[in-house]
Amino acid sequence: MRIKSIFVVTILLLVISSLAAQQITIYTIGDSTMANKPNPEENPERGWAQMLPNFFSKNVKIINKAVNGRSTKSFIEENRWENVYDSLKKGDYVFIQFGHNDQKVNDPKRYTNPHTAYRYNLKKIVEETLKKGAYPVLFSSIARRNFNEEGTLVDSHGAYPMEARLVADEMNIPFIDLQYLSEKLEESYGVEESKKLHLHYLPGELPYYKDGKNDDTHLSVIGATEIAKLVVNQIKLLNLKIKNEIKF
């Protein structure tokens, strides 16, 4: 009878341990370069966080809360961050990538000064994530495919990536420099081939874009997958705990 009781207790502990492992969640917050895109059967656009589930075990749940067109300011003021914060539990992760829309100087609902509001908004998100016992990871924005006539890839983000790095350094949290990594990716593909990373279609080439598309910011399936690979490799290099759930 005692042996049977020990066996039952052992099984229960294994079940509890298994359930605990399945409770790890990665929340991704940011803009359209990260967000889930609708109609994937027809739509060739992807956000890089949309591809992350392909790289993690079933013990990890990816909840992609990134939204097209959002800056740190609008994400917070629309209570989108509050909704994530309310759901956070100890041991979860928050991947944070903003900057593209914080640059919108003609839109007061989104624009943030990189050295003041942007910095403090990032700090707020990081501080509140830590308060919940969760793990924040800061990212710089992915590069735009912005080659000049000489074939040089030119920066379009200004001070925002550096401010993200400074916040990560100041608060001693992991930082993944997606701007640098995606710049190297764009350059490795070259001026013409790098179009495959984005959305370049001639009129009539694709039913979803009947009038064609010429977008050097947002990502194709190839581009989003490549960026997701960069993120996963950095997670390994940074030795984050979540690395143990990476499939390959």
Side-chain angles (χ1 to χ4, degrees):
M1 192 72 177
R2 183 178 179 183
I3 293 175
K4 184 177 179 181
S5 297
I6 293 172
F7 177 76
V8 171
V9 170
T10 302
I11 293 298
L12 285 173
L13 288 173
L14 288 172
V15 170
I16 291 170
S17 176
S18 176
L19 289 173
Q22 292 176 2
Q23 291 175 352
I24 299 173
T25 301
I26 300 175
Y27 290 91
T28 59
I29 64 173
D31 55 44
S32 57
T33 62
M34 199 185 206
N36 289 340
K37 307 301 175 182
N39 306 318
E41 299 82 9
E42 303 172 4
N43 186 359
E45 184 182 352
R46 297 291 187 278
W48 66 259
Q50 192 171 359
M51 314 307 289
L52 283 181
N54 298 328
F55 297 91
F56 285 95
S57 74
K58 293 181 179 179
N59 292 333
V60 174
K61 183 177 182 180
I62 311 290
I63 299 182
N64 191 357
K65 291 292 188 177
V67 181
N68 291 4
R70 267 52 181 191
S71 67
T72 57
K73 182 178 182 179
S74 60
F75 198 86
I76 291 171
E77 291 187 351
E78 292 172 4
N79 295 322
R80 295 179 185 277
W81 166 242
E82 182 180 356
N83 290 336
V84 173
Y85 175 78
D86 288 343
S87 301
L88 273 181
K89 63 183 184 298
K90 185 177 180 179
D92 287 344
Y93 286 76
V94 182
F95 289 1
I96 308 157
Q97 181 208 257
F98 289 98
H100 275 120
N101 298 299
D102 287 81
Q103 296 177 286
K104 307 288 187 181
V105 293
N106 295 321
D107 187 347
K109 291 184 178 180
R110 291 189 289 177
Y111 173 72
T112 61
N113 182 321
H115 307 298
T116 55
Y118 178 71
R119 161 182 275 272
Y120 282 95
N121 288 342
L122 290 181
K123 289 181 69 173
K124 169 185 170 66
I125 292 169
V126 169
E127 287 170 353
E128 293 182 356
T129 298
L130 293 170
K131 184 179 178 181
K132 280 290 191 82
Y135 303 111
V137 182
L138 266 179
F139 295 75
S140 53
S141 298
I142 65 168
R144 293 184 175 92
R145 182 185 167 276
N146 187 33
F147 290 95
N148 65 16
E149 292 181 358
E150 288 72 32
T152 301
L153 188 67
V154 179
D155 171 55
S156 64
H157 294 309
Y160 292 90
M162 180 55 72
E163 287 296 343
R165 178 187 288 278
L166 290 172
V167 168
D169 185 63
E170 177 184 334
M171 305 189 75
N172 194 30
I173 64 163
F175 175 73
I176 294 179
D177 196 349
L178 268 193
Q179 182 186 26
Y180 171 72
L181 295 169
S182 59
E183 283 177 353
K184 303 304 288 184
L185 177 66
E186 298 279 353
E187 291 170 345
S188 71
Y189 269 72
V191 175
E192 287 302 314
E193 288 296 303
S194 59
K195 291 179 180 178
K196 294 178 181 178
L197 301 171
H198 299 279
L199 304 170
H200 282 260
Y201 299 97
L202 297 171
E205 183 179 352
L206 196 71
Y208 198 81
Y209 297 124
K210 294 179 181 179
D211 298 325
K213 190 76 171 176
N214 188 18
D215 184 338
D216 291 317
T217 297
H218 300 98
L219 299 166
S220 65
V221 173
I222 293 173
T225 302
E226 291 279 22
I227 298 295
K229 286 179 182 178
L230 293 174
V231 170
V232 168
N233 287 335
Q234 288 299 301
I235 289 171
K236 293 178 181 178
L237 289 172
L238 289 169
N239 201 30
L240 302 185
K241 291 181 180 180
I242 199 72
K243 74 174 186 177
N244 296 324
E245 302 298 339
I246 294 171
K247 289 194 290 189
F248 45 81

